Amino acid sequence: MAIIKDSPGNSFYGLIKEIFNWYPSKYPAAERKLLFKLDLSILIFACLCFFVKFLDQTNISNAYVSGLKEDFGLYGNELNYFNVCYYVAYVVFQVPGMLLMSRPRLARWLLPSLEILWGLCTFAQSRVTNVHQLYACRFLVGMLEAPVFAGTHFILGSWYSGPELFKRAGTWFICNPLGTMVSGYLQAAAYTHLSGVGGMPGWRWLFIIDGIFTIPVAVIGFLVFPGVPDSPKPFYFTSDDIALAKARLEKAKIRKPGKLNLDVFKRSLKRWHIWVFVFCYICMIIGGYPDSYMNLWLKEEGFSVVQINQLPTVTYAINIVASWLGTTLAAIYPSWTVYTGATSCLVFSATCMIVWNIPKPLKFVAWYLFGMSGCLSPILYSTVNTVVKGDSEERALILGAMMTFGYSFYVWTPLVLFPTVGPNGAPRWRIGWPVALVFRVLLWAGFITAILMHRRE
């Protein structure tokens, strides 16, 4: 069974046309209208939800280098401990959250409800008075954000298929680096303009701003998020829309949700999918961990607080382009070619970090080229949705297991491979950078293996 991809022809114009061809003329008018409704409902909420998630996830690092460290006297591995608290909860609640997401009656309401709760926890982070309270807040935020990433991929794979799935996944994933990039600018603005307002330092205001963003997004989710095709029908869908959506799924051989029992685990463990895809995501997590810590290097080099928050945003801008364009190209050309090109850039950057003593302009280039990783995750998850489309419960389990086992390495690898202080500490990471390079290559090898095994089925 092969993944059918649209052909752009042999011209550059044909390629550009196919990149922006979200509503093919070969589709009937009713189907194009349905796709437009889906894009407005799923993508708007999913993009906003993902944006505020990564805004919050990055805020802790930006707050650390913008006054939190000095205010709380954090001169050990506390930054890693913040991340450990977050990812322990993130790991534990992945699979339960994903299995709940596979239930049609819950799928429509789960993410908006969790968004409300984590918005409240985000506000709470602005009022902490000691590091232990912040540890607790990070745990709660990780628990509530757990199903967002894999759950959105599951929802996308429940409505879209083929090239349309890849294009939407890449566009949605833009909000990962966008949230991270905006966080840098927000922290710089908060540090410059809000420090001292209300008697609070700028880093506290960053969490308040994030919470202000989060609550309206949750309200939008309650209004427009459709869940899966078998969920309660939202107001903007007609009965014909739902019937057409289900007919599209049947044509694409995407099976609707069935019973949730122990057989889901038995049949999933007997197939190669879960083993290969979980391995790939573990490699992605370990290999990509140090990419986003350019701010620690800038702090060590003596750059100003504003520069520390703004200069890394170039990486996220590149990440945005790579996420959208790379995933779109993977919908047109063989996905392994895009994966190989992006991996080559990452191997070059990791090699520069291993050498370390290189001209400063080259080191900036190396940090910025890490942005090419933006296409790897949406391509991988879209491939999972495509390969395992015939079993909704197995697909949910695999997506959840990828996050569970992948992020379980976030719990301990920062302490072992990427410590904040010490002879092997940030940002030099004498042990961490070589290990990251190895896992970048293993991710590529695992992805190629998945493509080859899928072609044999």
Side-chain angles (χ1 to χ4, degrees):
M1 181 175 62
I3 301 174
I4 301 174
K5 305 203 174 188
D6 294 335
S7 173
N10 297 320
S11 67
F12 180 73
Y13 171 75
L15 172 61
I16 299 299
K17 183 179 179 181
E18 185 55 42
I19 287 174
F20 293 97
N21 185 21
W22 277 40
Y23 309 101
S25 57
K26 63 183 179 182
Y27 285 11
E31 189 168 2
R32 294 197 300 271
K33 184 178 180 181
L34 172 64
L35 282 177
F36 184 69
K37 286 184 178 182
L38 289 173
D39 290 342
L40 286 180
S41 55
I42 296 177
L43 286 184
I44 286 179
F45 171 69
C47 286
L48 290 173
C49 185
F50 203 40
F51 170 79
V52 295
K53 175 188 182 299
F54 272 87
L55 185 64
D56 170 71
Q57 195 166 319
T58 311
N59 280 351
I60 192 65
S61 176
N62 288 332
Y64 181 83
V65 298
S66 301
L68 171 63
K69 175 181 178 180
E70 291 76 12
D71 287 356
F72 283 0
L74 310 180
Y75 297 103
N77 279 317
E78 287 88 355
L79 178 59
N80 280 339
Y81 297 149
F82 293 146
N83 289 330
V84 167
C85 289
Y86 177 91
Y87 288 115
V88 164
Y90 202 71
V91 164
V92 170
F93 292 95
Q94 277 297 328
V95 170
M98 284 305 302
L99 293 178
L100 289 176
M101 185 67 72
S102 72
R103 302 301 85 201
R105 290 190 177 275
L106 293 176
R108 187 177 169 195
W109 312 113
L110 185 61
L111 291 186
S113 300
L114 293 177
E115 183 109 10
I116 287 281
L117 295 175
W118 102 54
L120 297 177
C121 290
T122 301
F123 278 123
Q125 290 176 90
S126 71
R127 306 305 300 170
V128 294
T129 57
N130 59 61
V131 69
H132 301 290
Q133 293 174 1
L134 195 50
Y135 289 149
C137 286
R138 295 310 295 171
F139 182 89
L140 290 174
V141 171
M143 176 184 72
L144 297 168
E145 289 183 357
V148 173
F149 182 80
T152 304
H153 273 296
F154 178 80
I155 296 297
L156 290 173
S158 298
W159 292 93
Y160 303 101
S161 64
E164 54 186 53
L165 171 62
F166 277 76
K167 292 176 180 179
R168 271 76 178 178
T171 300
W172 165 68
F173 197 77
I174 284 174
C175 294
N176 172 341
L178 184 62
T180 309
M181 183 173 72
V182 170
S183 176
Y185 288 113
L186 280 178
Q187 182 58 68
Y191 183 86
T192 303
H193 302 292
L194 293 177
S195 290
V197 175
M200 293 188 296
W203 65 264
R204 291 186 184 272
W205 278 104
L206 188 60
F207 291 114
I208 294 175
I209 294 169
D210 189 11
I212 292 172
F213 284 158
T214 302
I215 302 302
V217 172
V219 174
I220 292 173
F222 281 116
L223 293 175
V224 305
F225 192 60
V228 296
D230 288 308
S231 294
K233 181 172 67 70
F235 70 92
Y236 52 85
F237 277 156
T238 66
S239 298
D240 289 341
D241 288 333
I242 298 298
L244 177 57
K246 292 180 178 180
R248 278 167 39 87
L249 297 184
E250 185 175 349
K251 181 179 178 181
K253 299 181 180 179
I254 300 175
R255 190 177 68 84
K256 68 179 184 178
K259 290 184 178 181
L260 185 60
N261 50 37
L262 289 178
D263 184 60
V264 175
F265 296 89
K266 292 178 182 179
R267 66 177 183 263
S268 298
L269 293 174
K270 290 180 181 178
R271 299 168 180 166
W272 65 265
H273 307 134
I274 193 167
W275 304 102
V276 174
F277 288 127
V278 167
F279 171 78
C280 285
Y281 201 65
I282 290 173
C283 293
M284 184 179 294
I285 290 296
I286 298 176
Y289 180 86
D291 297 0
S292 60
Y293 286 98
M294 182 182 182
N295 54 2
L296 298 183
W297 172 68
L298 293 171
K299 188 176 182 70
E300 184 181 77
E301 291 291 318
F303 287 83
S304 70
V305 170
V306 172
Q307 289 174 317
I308 290 171
N309 282 289
Q310 290 184 347
L311 287 174
T313 60
V314 176
T315 304
Y316 306 129
I318 295 173
N319 203 292
I320 288 171
V321 175
S323 173
W324 168 71
L325 185 58
T327 310
T328 300
L329 291 176
I332 301 171
Y333 299 108
S335 54
W336 69 266
T337 59
V338 180
Y339 238 71
T340 301
T343 300
S344 299
C345 294
L346 301 175
V347 167
F348 169 78
S349 291
T351 302
C352 289
M353 296 303 171
I354 293 171
V355 176
W356 193 253
N357 294 317
I358 58 177
K360 187 175 290 186
L362 179 59
K363 191 166 287 187
F364 269 100
V365 170
W367 279 111
Y368 290 152
L369 276 180
F370 281 127
M372 293 299 295
S373 65
C375 64
L376 300 185
S377 181
I379 292 176
L380 177 64
Y381 273 86
S382 295
T383 301
V384 174
N385 272 321
T386 301
V387 171
V388 200
K389 63 184 181 180
D391 191 326
S392 182
E393 288 70 40
E394 181 189 8
R395 183 161 56 91
L397 179 60
I398 290 175
L399 293 173
M402 289 168 68
M403 298 294 289
T404 294
F405 289 99
Y407 277 93
S408 67
F409 282 82
Y410 252 142
V411 175
W412 61 271
T413 51
L415 304 177
V416 177
L417 300 176
F418 307 104
T420 308
V421 296
N424 297 316
R428 179 66 179 88
W429 287 320
R430 298 176 187 276
I431 298 174
W433 284 117
V435 172
L437 173 60
V438 170
F439 277 94
R440 286 294 192 191
V441 175
L442 288 176
L443 166 61
W444 174 84
F447 183 78
I448 297 300
T449 299
I451 294 298
L452 294 176
M453 295 184 73
H454 178 53
R455 289 177 178 176
R456 291 178 56 187
E457 289 183 329

